[in-house]
Amino acid sequence: MQYQGPQMLEFQEMGDERGHLVVCEGEGRDIPFDIKRIFYIYGSDRGIVRGQHANKETEFVIINVAGSSKIKVLDRKGNEAVFILNRPRTGIYIPRMIWKEMYDFSEDSVLLCLASEHYNADEYIRNYEDFLKIVRENDEETD
Ligand code: TYD
């Protein structure tokens, strides 16, 4: 699996009369990378905006396993998209160097994040102007 940009992923639901079960296997099966880290975000009020960063190294898949939220993504070319996450079997894949913001959390929102790399604060770009600068510099190098 090789995706150019942010992309919705639909996972198979293997439920039966006892309830639902969704499996996310790494290494290109359901998740396009080897999962090295998981974390989850909950207890954020509706007015809160989280994220507001881009990652130089890490790819993510983000799933609202409970509740709902929205995620706005902005790629290096300035393309902006908003994804609504409101189903445990739907995730969004976020490649490297995508500016992302999560917001509009429902009270019961639990946002599960699967990451391709261990945590390293140095690979986070937390300033939007810095993100644009790095993107422009990289584009000039590849021109
Ligand atoms: P932050 O990246 O600001 O959260 P969000 O993207 O949801 O807004 O992370 C909050 C704090 O947690 C920050 O001090 C860094 C720390 N943190 C880790 O130590 N390890 C991790 O894997 C993550 C995602 C965050």
Side-chain angles (χ1 to χ4, degrees):
M1 268 189 287
Q2 198 59 351
Y3 298 118
Q4 296 300 325
Q7 169 99 30
M8 291 299 267
L9 304 179
E10 288 289 320
F11 307 117
Q12 198 187 341
E13 202 175 58
M14 298 168 48
D16 55 29
E17 63 284 353
R18 297 169 300 160
H20 303 291
L21 189 149
V22 174
V23 182
C24 300
E25 291 209 41
E27 294 185 324
R29 293 186 178 199
D30 307 293
I31 304 298
F33 48 77
D34 186 11
I35 302 159
K36 291 209 181 123
R37 172 170 54 119
I38 70 167
F39 54 96
Y40 36 95
I41 296 166
Y42 59 97
S44 292
D45 288 341
R46 203 168 275 278
I48 295 288
V49 181
R50 301 199 59 139
Q52 297 184 295
H53 44 57
N55 292 74
K56 292 182 198 165
E57 302 293 340
T58 307
E59 303 164 74
F60 296 92
V61 170
I62 300 183
I63 306 159
N64 252 114
V65 289
S68 63
S69 68
K70 290 185 185 138
I71 177 160
K72 184 161 89 178
V73 291
L74 191 91
D75 73 9
R76 51 196 312 122
K77 296 198 171 84
N79 300 314
E80 195 177 291
V82 173
F83 293 87
I84 297 171
L85 287 169
N86 58 6
R87 289 192 300 156
R89 58 169 293 189
T90 303
I92 171 172
Y93 167 67
I94 303 181
R96 300 177 183 97
M97 289 305 285
I98 298 288
W99 187 263
K100 55 197 170 305
E101 300 184 357
M102 292 84 88
Y103 61 101
D104 223 356
F105 299 94
S106 65
E107 209 175 313
D108 58 347
S109 171
V110 180
L111 199 55
L112 177 69
C113 305
L114 313 177
S116 67
E117 307 299 330
H118 295 295
Y119 184 67
N120 170 13
D122 294 341
E123 63 106 12
Y124 277 71
I125 306 164
R126 290 184 177 271
N127 178 294
Y128 186 62
E129 296 303 320
D130 290 347
F131 169 70
L132 293 179
K133 197 164 154 252
I134 292 168
V135 163
R136 279 190 207 116
E137 281 167 6
N138 288 352
D139 282 351
E140 277 164 25
E141 277 167 28
T142 51
D143 275 348

